[in-house]
Amino acid sequence: MGTIDAPRSPIANRAKDGYGFLPAENPLTMVPSQLWSAAPPGRARDKPTSTMPLRRIYIFVGTAAMTLAGGYEMYEVLQVGGVTILEGLVLGLFVLLFAWIAFSFVSALAGFAVLLLRKREVLRIDTLGPLPTVIGRTAMLLPTYNEDAHRIMARLQAIYESVEETGVGHRFDWFVLSDTTDPSIWIAEEASFLQLRRNCDTGRLYYRHRADNTARKSGNIAEWIGRFGASYDHMIILDADSLMSGDTIVRLAAAMDFHPDVALIQTLPIVVNARSLFSRLQQFAGRLYGPLIAAGIAWWHGSDGNYWGHNAIIRVRAFAQDAGLPELRGRKPFGGHILSHDFVEAALMRRAGWAIHMAPTLGGSFEECPPSLLDFAARDRRWCQGNLQHLAVLPARGLYWISRLHLLTGIGSYLTAPLWLLFLLLGILISLQAQFVRPEYFSKGFSLFPKWPAQDPVLAAWVFGGTMGLLIVPKILAYVLLLTQRDNRRAFGGVRALAGIVIETLLSALIAPVMMIFQSTAVGEILLGRDSGWQVQRRDDGGVTPRELYRKYAAPTLCGVAMALSAYAVSVPLFLSTSPVILGLLLAIPLGFATSAGSRPGGLFATPEETAPPHVLLRANELAAVPGPLPTDALSTLRGDPATLKHHLDSIAPRVGRMRGQIDHHLAVARAKIDDAETFEEAVGYLTMRETAAVLNDRPMLERMMTMALGVTSNLR
């Protein structure tokens, strides 16, 4: 299984005594993949399930049949009097968008059948039996970027304790991989990490801070592989809000040992700890409908699965050999480092012959949700740019067609928003044309009967109802499944869950037009060349200021006003037919306020994880509830905490030789400001964030800074 028990360096030995942050380096080469040259020879492709071709025929034939039927009915609506250019555009958009809905519907039907019949997944991971034997070594990786240090360490401790309870904790090492740029948060991470190490009483916990966060999260993981990857068989990548039970982690590691052709197994993360109405809606919907959807896609994806960036186990050797990301040609936002790296990494490993699987029924995998619609839209904006970058990856040579479909699905999830908006606008334009343009009842040629330029309203209503049915039926199927599962039925509540589905559907219908505007705006900005940047995700309650509320929701509200006036000017029936969209846009501000407000757990949108929380969740929340240290500036924290100061100094990498004329401007300015200061407090006040970071990365300057505070010099000697 590789070089497992590599000897530790003196630094690691010191770690057991309370000093140092990292184990001995054991590098594993990771080379960027070549997307546009011939694909590498790769491994022999795994033998697919015998029924897999039939499963995929069902998905695509079913989608095509439903799309043809829906397209034909829409054509019947429009063809009365002949199809104009605008009507032709509407028909084309309808077929495209209806195919998207039909595709999701037939996949959900498959998921319903799988869960109803309790069919086991391809990997046959036993979710209830005794824990299997674990052979390989696994690294638990927690990349972080300017997150609340106390909370992430609380979650990590809960996961660590849960793994230790399984009795095979010695097979796992733990790494906090910091890309934090805020010096105060950086030092808070180190202090919290040392407290975590003391709490866990182990030398298998490590911390690394990366001063140059090139390529963001993917670069963070690649840097770890390049330093430590050869010591481990597998790695589990967590997010800052991730939780996983020890039972799930051990079963994943054992599955990787048992299936040497598998490169990645993705779990289904369940949303927990929702505090606002918006996040509770997402939590309820994800918990109730998510397993059905996941079971469906796992059923027909098979070994051609996808990767969602976290809460998944990955074979380190496969990732290093075949998942190195290239830098895309061109300028941002399309060029540069790939933001949505997970889809591409899965596609590259699959290209090399490795199997990619999903375990939708394993459980024990959790995450949190943005607390408000604005926070959700901000995260969505970053994902939108990353997914649109996949347009440059699609032509890559050697990708499996299913992998290209994953990329197309990711792209389509954002392009559908502006397409829906265009569909609505074209519908209004057609009505305006019928209202103000004089119709031509008789063609120039001979005709005994007039051509009436009108649509069939009754048939149009049936088409609309059928489309809505495809969206609602999967929710009904999820409820039917709930009724067949005794434990879930008790946790959700039969009548309460049904009421929750109704209210969630209504609120989601009102929120959808607002998200349509946000996503359409995001796509437009990206196409115009605006980069999303790298913002810190808010994870507290969803409270927003009135100023932010009015500013951010002004665009959807104005769109609603314009659409309402246009539709009403044409006809009352048109106004009524578009009223669901118009109502959602007009109510954008009150909806934004209401959904960002706090919401108590339980009640209408209660989930099993609320009514009967798993132990790892209870423990994480218990640890996070303990007050952490009050935030202060980095240098003051180090002055008052000699233990953290010693560890920090020990972790600073020695500076490599520089060429003459190469100056670290931030460090040079910091040195000048420190020379000009008369006291420690004065020096701290002079330094900017970047200058403070430069001091923290330079041992002589940091030691010099600390000597300005009484009582510290002796501790450094």
Side-chain angles (χ1 to χ4, degrees):
M1 299 292 294
T3 53
I4 303 302
D5 297 311
R8 302 300 191 199
S9 68
I11 292 178
N13 292 330
R14 291 174 65 190
K16 296 178 181 179
D17 299 326
Y19 300 95
F21 285 127
L22 291 171
E25 294 192 5
N26 195 1
L28 187 61
T29 302
M30 189 168 182
V31 180
S33 299
Q34 300 299 315
L35 297 180
W36 300 277
S37 59
R43 301 161 45 88
R45 189 180 183 185
D46 63 296
K47 187 177 181 181
T49 305
S50 59
T51 59
M52 191 58 66
L54 293 176
R55 298 179 185 183
R56 292 171 178 176
I57 288 173
Y58 155 75
I59 293 292
F60 293 106
V61 172
T63 300
M66 294 181 69
T67 303
L68 287 173
Y72 176 78
E73 293 299 320
M74 189 63 176
Y75 173 77
E76 288 292 304
V77 171
L78 299 172
Q79 65 87 28
V80 181
V83 178
T84 66
I85 294 176
L86 287 180
E87 290 173 337
L89 291 173
V90 166
L91 179 60
L93 285 172
F94 177 83
V95 169
L96 187 62
L97 294 168
F98 192 88
W100 185 265
I101 297 172
F103 180 68
S104 301
F105 177 79
V106 295
S107 185
L109 279 183
F112 173 75
V114 168
L115 294 179
L116 186 66
L117 300 175
R118 293 178 171 80
K119 290 187 173 290
R120 296 188 67 181
E121 59 198 36
V122 177
L123 296 179
R124 297 188 175 276
I125 300 176
D126 188 357
T127 61
L128 300 175
L131 287 177
T133 301
V134 177
I135 301 172
R137 288 266 312 273
T138 301
M140 303 292 298
L141 308 183
L142 175 58
T144 179
Y145 175 76
N146 291 333
E147 297 279 352
D148 185 318
H150 176 65
R151 291 175 66 176
I152 64 171
M153 298 302 171
R155 296 189 191 97
L156 195 62
Q157 182 175 338
I159 302 172
Y160 171 85
E161 292 175 354
S162 185
V163 172
E164 288 295 303
E165 290 171 0
T166 65
V168 292
H170 60 284
R171 290 291 178 184
F172 298 84
D173 285 357
W174 306 75
F175 290 82
V176 178
L177 305 178
S178 174
D179 262 354
T180 292
T181 55
D182 187 318
S184 299
I185 299 177
W186 173 11
I187 300 305
E189 287 173 355
E190 292 186 349
S192 298
F193 170 78
L194 291 175
Q195 183 59 53
L196 171 67
R197 181 179 276 178
R198 288 191 289 268
N199 293 345
C200 297
D201 191 24
T202 181
R204 290 183 285 105
L205 282 163
Y206 306 107
Y207 174 91
R208 188 271 287 131
H209 177 266
R210 192 168 65 127
D212 179 17
N213 48 29
T214 302
R216 305 183 185 182
K217 184 178 177 179
S218 61
N220 198 352
I221 301 299
E223 194 266 358
W224 176 86
I225 289 175
R227 294 178 65 184
F228 310 103
S231 295
Y232 301 95
D233 297 287
H234 323 123
M235 59 183 178
I236 293 180
I237 299 178
L238 306 168
D239 263 0
D241 60 353
S242 290
L243 270 178
M244 296 183 76
S245 70
D247 184 282
T248 295
I249 290 171
V250 169
R251 294 182 190 278
L252 284 173
M256 294 294 281
D257 289 334
F258 191 73
H259 300 281
D261 60 329
V262 174
L264 185 149
I265 304 174
Q266 176 69 64
T267 64
L268 175 63
I270 299 298
V271 176
V272 294
N273 287 337
R275 300 175 181 86
S276 66
L277 177 58
F278 176 81
S279 58
R280 289 189 57 76
L281 284 172
Q282 301 300 310
Q283 178 178 273
F284 177 79
R287 183 63 175 86
L288 189 56
Y289 316 140
L292 181 144
I293 296 169
I297 62 176
W299 178 76
W300 68 270
H301 284 179
S303 59
D304 297 311
N306 207 355
Y307 174 37
W308 300 341
H310 62 283
N311 290 29
I313 190 167
I314 304 172
R315 193 173 305 277
V316 175
R317 177 167 59 89
F319 195 88
Q321 290 177 351
D322 304 302
L325 294 180
E327 188 170 342
L328 298 178
R329 305 185 186 108
R331 300 174 60 184
K332 292 181 178 180
F334 290 109
H337 299 290
I338 299 174
L339 300 183
S340 294
H341 53 91
D342 40 12
F343 282 36
V344 182
E345 288 160 347
L348 291 173
M349 287 188 287
R350 190 69 188 113
R351 181 177 74 165
W354 296 98
I356 311 293
H357 284 277
M358 183 179 192
T361 61
L362 182 57
S365 178
F366 311 101
E367 63 180 355
E368 294 183 4
C369 174
S372 73
L373 181 56
L374 292 182
D375 293 295
F376 186 89
R379 186 186 69 175
D380 213 51
R381 168 67 171 80
R382 186 175 69 253
W383 289 1
C384 177
Q385 180 177 334
N387 281 23
L388 292 184
Q389 282 183 311
H390 295 167
L391 288 167
V393 182
L394 276 174
R397 298 181 63 180
L399 297 183
Y400 286 112
W401 68 272
I402 290 277
S403 297
R404 297 188 200 274
L405 183 62
H406 294 327
L407 298 174
L408 278 172
T409 302
I411 296 167
S413 63
Y414 292 97
L415 291 183
T416 51
L419 292 179
W420 274 117
L421 181 60
L422 182 59
F423 178 80
L424 291 170
L425 294 177
L426 286 175
I428 293 176
L429 284 176
I430 289 173
S431 298
L432 282 169
Q433 183 185 51
Q435 184 77 10
F436 298 109
V437 178
R438 190 181 187 96
E440 183 177 337
Y441 295 100
F442 294 91
S443 61
K444 294 181 181 179
F446 176 77
S447 178
L448 291 175
F449 302 100
K451 294 182 178 180
W452 304 104
Q455 290 82 41
D456 188 334
V458 177
L459 188 56
W462 278 104
V463 172
F464 175 79
T467 305
M468 292 300 101
L470 296 185
L471 295 172
I472 295 173
V473 166
K475 299 186 178 187
I476 298 173
L477 294 178
Y479 182 70
V480 172
L481 278 175
L482 171 69
L483 298 179
T484 66
Q485 302 164 346
R486 184 177 61 181
D487 292 342
N488 276 342
R489 185 174 67 249
R490 289 177 177 175
F492 274 106
V495 177
R496 185 181 64 201
L498 182 60
I501 291 173
V502 173
I503 302 300
E504 183 272 331
T505 300
L506 293 174
L507 289 175
S508 296
L510 292 174
I511 292 172
V514 182
M515 277 304 302
M516 176 184 68
I517 299 299
F518 284 153
Q519 289 185 335
S520 299
T521 303
V523 171
E525 289 176 346
I526 293 166
L527 294 177
L528 292 173
R530 288 188 58 184
D531 186 27
S532 65
W534 196 8
Q535 293 82 28
V536 181
Q537 184 173 315
R538 200 167 55 145
R539 304 189 189 276
D540 53 6
D541 61 34
V544 292
T545 64
R547 182 179 179 181
E548 184 182 16
L549 196 70
Y550 293 127
R551 182 171 62 88
K552 294 293 182 63
Y553 287 107
T557 303
L558 292 175
C559 287
V561 171
M563 189 174 293
L565 293 175
S566 300
Y568 188 78
V570 176
S571 67
V572 173
L574 177 62
F575 176 80
L576 294 175
S577 66
T578 55
S579 58
V581 176
I582 292 173
L583 187 62
L585 295 175
L586 292 178
L587 295 177
I589 293 175
L591 271 174
F593 176 78
T595 56
S596 62
S599 178
R600 292 184 178 181
L604 190 63
F605 300 117
T607 63
E609 286 68 34
E610 286 182 341
T611 55
H615 177 70
V616 68
L617 178 59
L618 286 173
R619 180 59 174 158
N621 290 341
E622 177 190 353
L623 292 168
V626 177
L630 295 175
T632 183
D633 69 90
L635 295 169
S636 298
T637 300
L638 290 177
R639 180 186 63 172
D641 189 348
T644 302
L645 176 60
K646 286 182 178 182
H647 282 81
H648 181 81
L649 289 169
D650 201 42
S651 69
I652 298 175
R655 285 191 174 271
V656 298
R658 65 174 179 86
M659 296 180 61
R660 296 179 61 184
Q662 286 186 335
I663 304 294
D664 185 335
H665 298 285
H666 297 299
L667 184 61
V669 174
R671 183 181 290 112
K673 289 181 177 180
I674 293 170
D675 288 341
D676 201 45
E678 294 182 353
T679 65
F680 174 83
E681 289 76 12
E682 198 173 44
V684 171
Y686 288 162
L687 299 176
T688 66
M689 184 181 293
R690 290 191 175 183
E691 291 159 4
T692 302
V695 172
L696 293 174
N697 276 309
D698 187 85
R699 183 178 184 116
M701 280 303 300
L702 181 57
E703 289 180 331
R704 181 179 170 185
M705 190 74 183
M706 291 296 106
T707 58
M708 300 179 71
L710 293 177
V712 177
T713 304
S714 60
N715 292 328
L716 296 175
R717 294 173 179 169

